[in-house]
Amino acid sequence: MYAVIGAGPMGLATARNLKKYGIPFVGFDLNTDVGGLWDIDNPHSTMYESAHLISSKAMTEFREIPMADEVATYPHHREMKRYFQQYAAHFGLYEHYEFSTRVVQVVRDGDEWLVTTEVNGEEQCRRFSGVLIANGTLHTPNLPNLPGRFDGELMHSCEYRHPSRFDDKRVLVVGCGNSACDIAVDAVHRAASVDMSVRRGYYFLPKFIGGKATDSIGGKIKLPRALKQKVDDRLIRMIIGKPSDYGLPDPDYKLYESHPVINSLVLHHLGHGDIGPRPDIADMQGRTVTFTDGSRADYDLILLATGYQLDYPFIDSDLLNWQGDAPDLYLNVFHPRYHNLFMMGMIEAAGLGWEGRNEQAELVALYLKRRAQGDAAATVLETIKRERAGDTLDGGYRYLKLSRMAYYVHKDSYRAEVAKQRQALEQQ
């Protein structure tokens, strides 16, 4: 029996593939239903009311369960919750999950794992043949040390739910990722004023080009990496210009070396003066913020849209082969030493979607099946994962050395490697 931790999209994909290959398992989740962070009613969700997918449904959906035609190109989070409920019901996954259950501890015991769970204050410890960790990467907020002292309201984006929070307030959003831009646009319609503090450059892409989802355009003709970066960069500049045209810093790196911002509205509001661009914070005293360019402004609320840290509090980081900002694993999933511990979904890549993650889950399930059968192909994969743990699979892109990029991969390179290993396991 295996333990699956999490019932978000990655947990569900993991459960579906274990069931597909006849591998017994039990799933655990803190919430009362499936969906993970996409269920805004989940008290542990970091979702906000206006949130939609930043990738199009066609590039994100599971191949086995396409989203309905009437679902918007970029679905709202409540539509996504219904989608995951549909997925779980279709594959009969509900019966395998124990909800409202916290995983307290995972420890190794011989060649097996002891998993302690807690329900209504009562703990239970059970033994499992293996553990598949799929509880997501967006739980623990990254809280930077800001200089000085701020006497107004200070919050992280994980606490944000509804734009009424900004009513008549002078708001400073710190950060410029996808959530930061979404929330700044929300604030425009309710706040007295909105500024964004941005310390480095970002690439911006609109959600639609020529009436089609941006991420669905191109790809039929494979260009060399360097040429693709140049061509796409020039196309973006032709369509929307440079960030500095809107008062923001230009990137000092090439396109695709960090995750771009997918937002059609934030540059619009910057260009109309609804959002004021600001550099990094130099100091805070009372409600006055001083920026690195010497300018000052007063604020009632500072919202930190500064991302998240990988955090698995129920298991010792040494057991995860943690190196630097993330566990060091083969394909971001296979542990180099343990054959029965997997980090499911600890991966980010532009365009990977949930189908790419489903392919990861199928590879793991197939490996477990072949190993149980004593197949030599499983032994070969065990050698590979020992020797190649930490392979970047970056496709030649020089990804920025940021904590959130520590588990970032190149989609095509990653999927090709997963397909290669799956084919090796399928051959008998």
Side-chain angles (χ1 to χ4, degrees):
M1 182 69 72
Y2 286 80
V4 175
I5 302 174
M10 193 66 234
L12 294 179
T14 301
R16 185 275 180 278
N17 281 283
L18 292 178
K19 187 169 184 177
K20 176 181 176 180
Y21 285 95
I23 299 167
F25 71 94
V26 59
F28 303 109
D29 197 272
L30 272 167
N31 195 23
T32 58
D33 202 346
V34 301
L37 67 82
W38 287 99
D39 181 1
I40 198 170
D41 300 319
N42 175 357
H44 310 283
S45 173
T46 57
M47 194 61 55
Y48 43 93
E49 190 54 53
S50 63
H52 291 70
L53 275 179
I54 61 169
S55 55
S56 65
K57 68 175 184 180
M59 298 297 291
T60 309
E61 64 193 4
F62 289 111
R63 186 182 64 251
E64 293 180 301
I65 306 289
M67 296 186 205
D69 291 342
E70 60 268 23
V71 173
T73 303
Y74 294 94
H76 186 258
H77 65 81
R78 294 197 186 278
E79 191 68 59
M80 300 315 306
K81 175 183 176 180
R82 287 190 289 270
Y83 176 67
F84 295 126
Q85 290 173 328
Q86 175 193 3
Y87 183 95
H90 179 82
F91 291 116
L93 303 181
Y94 276 106
E95 62 195 66
H96 294 275
Y97 269 93
E98 297 179 13
F99 293 102
S100 301
T101 302
R102 177 184 296 276
V103 174
V104 177
Q105 187 179 51
V106 175
V107 297
R108 192 159 178 82
D109 186 44
D111 196 38
E112 296 182 313
W113 298 88
L114 298 178
V115 177
T116 302
T117 56
E118 183 266 322
V119 179
N120 295 327
E122 295 187 7
E123 293 189 356
Q124 180 183 15
C125 183
R126 280 173 276 183
R127 182 179 299 274
F128 290 94
S129 300
V131 178
L132 298 95
I133 300 173
N135 63 315
T137 60
L138 304 177
H139 293 287
T140 302
N142 178 46
L143 299 172
N145 292 319
L146 297 177
R149 185 196 77 256
F150 182 64
D151 291 340
E153 185 178 359
L154 185 65
M155 62 183 291
H156 189 271
S157 59
C158 68
E159 305 171 68
Y160 172 67
R161 291 295 180 271
H162 193 274
S164 59
R165 187 76 177 257
F166 302 129
D167 283 356
D168 302 320
K169 295 178 181 178
R170 299 165 295 179
V171 176
L172 176 66
V173 176
V174 177
C176 195
N178 283 288
S179 293
C181 292
D182 280 352
I183 295 170
V185 170
D186 276 0
V188 161
H189 305 288
R190 308 292 289 258
S193 66
V194 184
D195 288 349
M196 290 186 72
S197 172
V198 183
R199 65 178 180 177
R200 67 177 183 85
Y202 290 76
Y203 285 95
F204 292 83
L205 300 175
K207 285 200 166 183
F208 294 94
I209 297 178
K212 295 184 178 180
T214 300
D215 62 2
S216 69
I217 298 173
K220 293 182 179 179
I221 300 176
K222 299 296 183 183
L223 299 176
R225 174 191 53 76
L227 180 59
K228 178 176 175 58
Q229 286 177 299
K230 285 185 177 181
V231 169
D232 289 1
D233 182 55
R234 290 189 179 184
L235 177 63
I236 293 168
R237 291 196 180 198
M238 181 179 68
I239 295 172
I240 64 174
K242 299 182 295 183
S244 56
D245 296 331
Y246 303 87
L248 298 176
D250 290 323
D252 58 359
Y253 54 92
K254 295 180 180 179
L255 184 60
Y256 304 128
E257 292 180 347
S258 183
H259 199 74
V261 175
I262 315 296
N263 192 298
S264 297
L265 296 174
V266 68
L267 297 182
H268 168 89
H269 285 296
L270 281 160
H272 285 74
D274 301 327
I275 299 173
R278 297 283 189 174
D280 199 10
I281 295 174
D283 189 34
M284 302 184 302
Q285 295 297 330
R287 297 198 176 210
T288 301
V289 176
T290 302
F291 299 95
T292 53
D293 64 354
S295 63
R296 294 182 178 182
D298 294 335
Y299 299 99
D300 303 301
L301 186 154
I302 296 178
L303 184 140
L304 302 174
T306 48
Y308 297 84
Q309 298 177 337
L310 287 182
D311 185 26
Y312 306 97
F314 46 79
I315 186 170
D316 193 303
S317 60
D318 288 342
L319 290 173
L320 300 178
N321 198 40
W322 204 292
Q323 305 290 330
D325 292 318
D328 205 20
L329 311 171
Y330 174 57
L331 290 173
N332 287 27
V333 61
F334 289 95
H335 197 285
R337 298 191 306 277
Y338 306 136
H339 63 271
N340 53 5
L341 178 65
F342 307 91
M343 297 296 294
M344 310 300 300
M346 191 197 74
I347 182 171
E348 288 294 338
L352 186 66
W354 290 315
E355 185 54 36
R357 292 165 173 83
N358 178 67
E359 292 167 358
Q360 180 197 81
E362 183 171 22
L363 175 62
V364 170
L366 183 57
Y367 161 73
L368 289 174
K369 181 177 180 179
R370 291 289 181 258
R371 192 176 194 283
Q373 294 170 337
D375 195 291
T379 303
V380 172
L381 180 53
E382 287 167 8
T383 299
I384 292 172
K385 71 187 184 73
R386 282 197 303 270
E387 295 175 348
R388 296 183 56 190
D391 277 12
T392 57
L393 292 174
D394 57 16
Y397 290 90
R398 297 180 179 179
Y399 294 134
L400 298 186
K401 300 299 182 182
L402 303 172
S403 58
R404 69 180 181 84
M405 300 294 292
Y407 47 99
Y408 206 89
V409 300
H410 177 240
K411 175 193 70 174
D412 294 337
S413 301
Y414 187 86
R415 295 184 78 167
E417 185 68 14
V418 168
K420 176 183 176 181
Q421 298 305 333
R422 186 180 68 245
Q423 290 167 6
L425 290 171
E426 288 172 341
Q427 295 174 356
Q428 296 191 62

